[in-house]
Amino acid sequence: MSVNGNRNRDLYHQTTAGDTETNENTPLLTNGSVPTRAKGASFSSSVFNLMNAIMGSGTLGLSYAMANTGIVGFSILLVVVSSLAAFSVHLLLKLCDQTGIKSYEGLGERALQKPGKIVVGMAIVIQNIGAMSSYLFILKSELPAAINSFLSPDNTGNAWYEDGRLLVIIVTLCVVLPLALLPKIGFLGYTSSLAVLFMMYFVVVTVVKKWSIPCPLPHNVTTLSGAFQISNSSDSDCTPKLFVFSSKSAYAIPTMAFSFLCHTAILPIYCELDRPTKSRMQNVTNVSISLSLILYVIAAVFGYLTFYAHVNSELLLSYDAYIPRDIMVMTVRLAILLSVLLTVPLIHFPARKAVILLLCGGRPFSWLIYIMTTLIILGVVLLMAIFVPDISHVFGIVGSTTSSCLLFVFPGIFYLKISSRPLSSFDSIAAVFLVVFGLIMGIISFSVIVITWAQSS
């Protein structure tokens, strides 16, 4: 675009004052001027980054969600949640083009003044710290078992690699920290491609192992850790259920919402995309969510059809119970751990960005602040992963509140407050639905988690 800054500002005021829609092929603007920028991240690199932000530990829990909702019920809910996630991204990108604002926190400030910026920033920080802590918690719990599975069963003792706390400190310092210090999120495209390939391998293993475990399930089994279990499976358990309704069904939608929460990474990826236009970034989003949806459905269906109602909340534990020390399961466990490990730096990027925006505002970039913020956030995450004995309840509550807000509530409210479109337009009606759906989902899931927690206590 060869126009001066004043003309850009005039065009911007005409667009926001009237009801003219922004051209979806117009590059992202920044404060009314088009800065000179280096070549950005490629389309494929952006897709891998976004898929890595979408697919995480949620992949392991979707078979359990299907067991508690049924194949048809699960499929309908997953398609609805993924469609709403894609639409809420559409609203964010539309607001980004209309206002020239390129951060989630900035949109919050534009819609709700300074309180909006603070609320959104805190939600991003809490959500991402909780997610990173849960990932490192998984590494602390599973990495020693993964290493032991490749060693001799007779190998006993207190070796250093059997200490999960020591291992998580080592991998954080040697892998997570160097990747988290990279200045641009686009640089993580290579590690994200590896993480996505690991997830695809996990999906392939769930398909292959469907025919390795008979149904009804064996009655007496021994897990990898040596624990003895008794399975009460019968012929009737080998019939897939189309619809299931129980108290555990309330956990399905929060699990799905968390599985598609990528909104904190959307705008950073958009800003670094080569030739960043709304239509191009929307294509990145649609491709990423569609591919993730396909992988999610395949993993969930074949995981469920392997164990039916006896599927564990973490799918890999189910395989450990019936085919311990299986080579493919052992390698897929390692692949999942590597995928989770490579996802942590990607989640760290928007968390650090939110902290710097909240504390430093529009100050010039400082490497000292950048490095100190990185170290502090990783320090907090590492402490939580090491010393919190059971992070599931905390993570469940954080996920049921911040996930629903970032995925549904905030995009809808921001669009209704910022956009000049009439309330009777399709986008405005859909934004109202997003807000209502997000609030209902968040309240119900939060209540169920608290009640279940209280009853178990």
Side-chain angles (χ1 to χ4, degrees):
M1 293 179 65
S2 58
V3 293
N4 58 36
N6 291 331
R7 186 179 178 189
N8 274 333
R9 283 189 288 272
D10 292 339
L11 289 174
Y12 164 69
H13 288 303
Q14 290 173 11
T15 302
T16 54
D19 197 30
T20 305
E21 288 295 324
T22 304
N23 189 340
E24 292 191 352
N25 292 313
T26 302
L28 178 65
L29 302 179
T30 307
N31 298 327
S33 60
V34 182
T36 302
R37 69 196 300 273
K39 181 176 174 63
S42 66
F43 185 92
S44 58
S45 175
S46 300
V47 168
F48 279 126
N49 268 336
L50 193 54
M51 285 187 68
N52 192 21
I54 294 171
M55 301 188 71
S57 58
T59 313
L60 302 177
L62 288 177
S63 295
Y64 182 74
M66 179 175 283
N68 293 309
T69 53
I71 294 179
V72 176
F74 173 88
S75 300
I76 293 174
L77 288 175
L78 196 67
V79 170
V80 168
V81 171
S82 63
S83 301
L84 291 177
F87 182 76
S88 63
V89 170
H90 159 73
L91 294 183
L92 288 178
L93 296 177
K94 201 168 188 178
L95 292 177
C96 196
D97 269 9
Q98 287 181 5
T99 62
I101 297 172
K102 56 180 181 179
S103 71
Y104 209 148
E105 302 88 339
L107 291 176
E109 184 176 21
R110 178 67 180 270
L112 303 172
Q113 307 303 320
K114 191 173 181 179
K117 176 182 178 180
I118 295 174
V119 169
V120 173
M122 292 300 297
I124 291 174
V125 173
I126 294 172
Q127 166 69 32
N128 288 17
I129 285 181
M132 287 187 288
S133 299
S134 71
Y135 288 170
L136 292 185
F137 190 87
I138 291 173
L139 285 168
K140 183 188 74 172
S141 304
E142 298 290 339
L143 193 53
I147 294 175
N148 280 328
S149 66
F150 288 94
L151 302 177
S152 170
D154 300 328
N155 184 46
T156 58
N158 297 319
W160 63 271
Y161 51 79
E162 295 179 350
D163 188 345
R165 292 173 298 180
L166 178 60
L167 288 178
V168 78
I169 292 174
I170 292 174
V171 297
T172 300
L173 294 177
C174 297
V175 180
V176 176
L177 179 59
L179 293 175
L181 286 172
L182 291 174
K184 290 186 177 182
I185 200 170
F187 293 154
L188 297 175
Y190 301 104
T191 58
S192 294
S193 62
L194 286 176
V196 172
L197 289 175
F198 290 149
M199 284 295 179
M200 293 176 66
Y201 177 60
F202 167 75
V203 174
V204 170
V205 171
T206 60
V207 175
V208 172
K209 290 303 174 183
K210 163 68 180 76
W211 288 275
S212 298
I213 300 176
C215 194
L217 298 172
H219 285 276
N220 300 328
V221 295
T222 303
T223 66
L224 186 63
S225 61
F228 188 71
Q229 291 184 348
I230 297 178
S231 172
N232 296 318
S233 178
S234 62
D235 289 328
S236 61
D237 292 333
C238 298
T239 303
K241 305 294 191 298
L242 300 183
F243 293 95
V244 176
F245 299 98
S246 67
S247 60
K248 295 180 180 179
S249 301
Y251 285 87
I253 292 182
T255 301
M256 297 175 189
F258 177 74
S259 298
F260 282 101
L261 182 60
C262 57
H263 294 50
T264 57
I266 285 289
L267 297 185
I269 292 175
Y270 183 18
C271 292
E272 295 187 12
L273 177 66
D274 187 33
R275 293 181 285 117
T277 62
K278 179 188 178 300
S279 60
R280 185 170 167 82
M281 187 61 205
Q282 189 68 58
N283 289 336
V284 170
T285 303
N286 294 341
V287 170
S288 301
I289 290 180
S290 299
L291 291 177
S292 300
L293 176 63
I294 293 172
L295 294 176
Y296 277 158
V297 170
I298 295 174
V301 167
F302 282 91
Y304 170 64
L305 293 180
T306 302
F307 302 102
Y308 295 94
H310 297 277
V311 65
N312 198 287
S313 57
E314 185 183 327
L315 185 57
L316 286 178
L317 296 179
S318 300
Y319 291 111
D320 287 342
Y322 297 100
I323 45 175
R325 299 193 178 277
D326 180 88
I327 295 297
M328 290 190 71
V329 174
M330 289 159 55
T331 54
V332 82
R333 177 191 292 276
L334 191 59
I336 288 293
L337 290 177
L338 289 173
S339 177
V340 166
L341 177 62
L342 295 176
T343 304
V344 174
L346 191 68
I347 301 175
H348 179 277
F349 193 94
R352 177 182 56 218
K353 182 171 174 287
V355 171
I356 293 177
L357 273 177
L358 288 176
L359 298 181
C360 303
R363 294 180 185 176
F365 177 82
S366 168
W367 274 109
L368 178 61
I369 295 176
Y370 184 89
I371 294 174
M372 289 301 297
T373 306
T374 301
L375 293 175
I376 291 172
I377 292 176
L378 285 182
V380 171
V381 169
L382 197 56
L383 289 174
M384 290 181 63
I386 292 174
F387 293 107
V388 174
D390 186 356
I391 204 170
S392 60
H393 296 306
V394 177
F395 185 65
I397 292 176
V398 169
S400 65
T401 52
T402 58
S403 293
S404 60
C405 286
L406 292 168
L407 187 61
F408 305 116
V409 179
F410 289 163
I413 291 178
F414 295 170
Y415 186 82
L416 293 172
K417 292 288 289 185
I418 297 174
S419 177
S420 57
R421 299 292 293 172
L423 192 59
S424 58
S425 66
F426 174 80
D427 283 349
S428 298
I429 295 174
V432 173
F433 176 78
L434 272 181
V435 175
V436 174
F437 180 83
L439 289 174
I440 293 175
M441 188 206 75
I443 292 172
I444 292 177
S445 58
F446 180 82
S447 302
V448 170
I449 290 172
V450 171
I451 293 172
T452 304
W453 189 9
Q455 289 176 345
S456 63
S457 299

